[in-house]
Amino acid sequence: MTGFATTQIRAGARPPVPPNPAVVPIYQTAAYEFESWEAARDIFALRRQGNLYSRTGNPTQSVLEQRIAALDGGVAALAVASGQAAVAIALLALAKSGEHIVAARQLYGGTLDLLTDTFADFGIEVTLVDQGDLDAWRRAIRPRTRALFAETIGNPTATVLDVRGVADIAHAAGVPFVVDNTVATPALLRPVEHGADVAVYSATKYLGGHGGSLGGLIVDLGTFDFGAAPGRWPQFTEPYPRVGDVVLWERFGRDGSAFLVYAKTKLAHDLGPALSPFNAHQLLLGIETLDLRIARQTASAEAIARALDEHPAVSRVHHPSVAGSPHAELARRYLPRGASAVFSFDLAAGPEAVPRFVDALEHFTLAANIGDARSLVIHPASTTHSHLRDGDLALAGFSRSTVRLSIGLEDVADLIGDLTRALALVPGRAGPDAPPAAPIPVAVGAATTTEEH
Ligand SMILES: *Cc1c(COP(=O)(O)O)cnc(C)c1O
């Protein structure tokens, strides 16, 4: 007989995990029991594979990692708590204090904050370039550059990256090319087919697809040879004191992803952005319908972009599928299966018309997220990009009149109907065939001068 306290912890045999659940179970545990002293030592020394502690891995997470690696054609993946953590860890594994990164100016706002503010605090220098200007990428590279970074599809304006063009520049300089493939997902674009070396994801968006869980993924595409210039990459090519002075590049190389072994045992371990097993499970279920959702959402987005492009209250649609888009050619080359369900458009009536339009929408949730099953709307200049000045907005390719949409899975006719109804409330382009402009409410204190509510 054991005492009460011992009993409350130890009583009841742990049921063996049944070998045949049809859906990947949630392994909700922080730690794992080692079968012996020797097993514990060998697992810590990376001499034997095994679960150690859920900050660096969990069986549910491991299925998610293998699944995204397979979808992307990579050698291995690492799952972390958010897309933001994935970007940070992927880049910190390549560049440290005193080193340098070249990145696209058209990045997600959170990533720009990370690169230009927090990385500056860390002593990592970042040069931002216009992603479409290949000469600017070339010129920005220095002897201490350790990575090039860009998004395959950028938001809010659905920019399309010349992945191969930038990859070739990175490789000529002997540095890896890391892409954020969040908006495209492997259903639209597989970065490995165009020369990228590492792909990162906010799984919070399309991979999960339900907006219910945060998560981030780093995929090693297994293409970059860190052994070619060992002096540049001491983290992979010199003895690694954390695990018995093994040289990660010799032990794991490209196929065993020395890059992710380092990212996991040092950065995920030290900084601690672990993905919860519950979130890993939700993201796995989401991925099971990825291609169906992406096909529906991109087709709806193209239909909506066309409808907006013809509407007199809209002055410009930022989607590669509309006539005259500067990204049409790159979209044909890189996105034959459809180009982005996230895009934006400009209200002809200018920024004053935005609040009325946005608040009139019924089938679009006003939210900062993208890639959800429900359609979403946001006004970047007053929210996600509110710290940018007019000049920075212009450099980023949009203005205070720009409204961003993330198209969900609803009936496309309902979405177009909703947008058309809300657009009827704002003035259109001036011209003989423009519809009569509805008055815009003029704020007087808390009240407005219009009658309708
Ligand atoms: C949302 C997003 C991120 C950050 O991901 P979180 O999961 O929100 O941390 C990074 N990159 C892109 C392109 C994103 O859309």
Side-chain angles (χ1 to χ4, degrees):
M1 275 290 277
T2 55
F4 186 88
T6 305
T7 306
Q8 73 187 3
I9 293 167
R10 294 280 177 188
R14 253 184 314 174
V17 176
N20 59 341
V23 172
V24 180
I26 301 172
Y27 289 86
Q28 188 67 31
T29 180
Y32 305 85
E33 185 175 3
F34 303 113
E35 68 189 48
S36 65
W37 174 91
E38 193 188 9
R41 182 199 58 189
D42 289 351
I43 289 170
F44 264 80
L46 304 183
R47 270 199 294 273
R48 190 194 294 198
Q49 284 210 326
N51 296 308
L52 196 157
Y53 186 62
S54 285
R55 184 164 0 101
T56 47
N58 171 285
T60 314
Q61 170 180 339
S62 168
V63 180
L64 174 64
E65 291 169 344
Q66 291 166 41
R67 197 168 291 174
I68 188 69
L71 289 172
D72 247 344
V75 295
L78 173 63
V80 288
S82 65
Q84 197 68 20
V87 174
I89 286 186
L91 294 176
L92 288 172
L94 298 169
K96 59 180 184 309
S97 179
E99 295 180 331
H100 175 247
I101 292 168
V102 187
R105 182 185 298 295
Q106 292 87 345
L107 293 175
Y108 171 72
T111 307
L112 281 178
D113 292 342
L114 172 74
L115 298 188
T116 59
D117 188 1
T118 300
F119 275 15
D121 292 346
F122 289 178
I124 299 168
E125 279 194 82
V126 177
T127 304
L128 297 179
V129 299
D130 175 5
Q131 71 178 32
D133 182 349
L134 294 182
D135 276 334
W137 284 99
R138 247 179 241 113
R139 279 197 308 273
I141 291 172
R142 308 176 190 168
R144 297 183 73 78
T145 301
R146 292 295 176 268
L148 269 51
F149 181 75
E151 292 169 10
T152 51
I153 298 179
N155 95 70
T157 57
T159 50
V160 183
L161 180 72
D162 181 356
V163 189
R164 175 62 66 184
V166 183
D168 287 347
I169 292 168
H171 297 154
V175 299
F177 184 31
V178 183
V179 294
D180 183 331
N181 199 37
T182 296
V183 176
T185 81
L188 290 183
L189 185 150
R190 300 217 308 169
V192 71
E193 292 168 4
H194 307 290
D197 302 293
V198 175
V200 297
Y201 293 93
S202 168
T204 316
K205 314 291 170 53
Y206 287 102
L207 294 178
H210 39 61
S213 283
L214 265 77
L217 294 162
I218 308 170
V219 186
D220 183 351
L221 301 171
T223 48
F224 195 77
D225 183 3
F226 291 100
R232 276 190 179 192
W233 312 103
Q235 66 272 49
F236 308 125
T237 59
E238 286 179 8
Y240 185 48
R242 291 180 178 232
V243 278
D245 280 339
V246 302
V247 172
L248 295 177
W249 191 249
E250 282 169 11
R251 169 78 69 83
F252 299 98
R254 253 197 280 216
D255 293 344
S257 190
F259 166 70
L260 287 180
V261 171
Y262 177 82
K264 182 167 166 163
T265 57
K266 179 171 167 119
L267 297 164
H269 173 275
D270 289 12
L271 300 173
L275 181 65
S276 89
F278 178 78
N279 283 16
H281 181 263
Q282 285 213 316
L283 296 172
L284 270 171
L285 291 184
I287 286 177
E288 291 176 0
T289 55
L290 178 66
D291 66 335
L292 298 175
R293 289 185 285 106
I294 293 282
R296 168 88 163 257
Q297 286 168 319
T298 51
S300 295
E302 286 183 16
I304 291 168
R306 265 196 308 280
L308 289 172
D309 197 38
E310 284 162 9
H311 198 287
V314 172
S315 57
R316 183 166 174 201
V317 177
H318 305 267
H319 192 282
S321 69
V322 303
S325 163
H327 299 285
E329 175 52 36
L330 286 168
R332 260 193 298 281
R333 184 151 23 122
Y334 291 105
L335 300 164
R337 291 189 290 277
S340 191
V342 175
F343 69 99
S344 61
F345 64 96
D346 299 347
L347 286 177
E352 299 75 23
V354 171
R356 181 159 197 198
F357 168 75
V358 165
D359 286 340
L361 291 170
E362 283 170 7
H363 296 320
F364 289 78
T365 304
L366 180 57
N369 195 15
I370 57 170
D372 200 312
R374 62 220 97 238
S375 291
L376 310 171
V377 61
I378 197 87
H379 178 223
S382 64
T383 57
T384 52
H385 294 69
S386 57
H387 54 297
L388 296 190
R389 290 176 299 259
D390 284 322
D392 297 328
L393 288 176
L395 274 177
F398 62 102
S399 74
R400 299 197 182 280
S401 309
T402 304
V403 175
R404 184 185 78 190
L405 303 177
S406 170
I407 304 305
L409 293 166
E410 304 90 339
D411 293 286
V412 68
D414 288 336
L415 297 176
I416 292 176
D418 195 32
L419 289 163
T420 310
R421 195 185 43 74
L423 284 171
L425 303 174
V426 301
R429 272 192 291 256
D433 55 353
I440 299 172
V442 179
V444 181
T448 66
T449 57
T450 49
E451 299 298 316
E452 68 195 76
H453 289 285

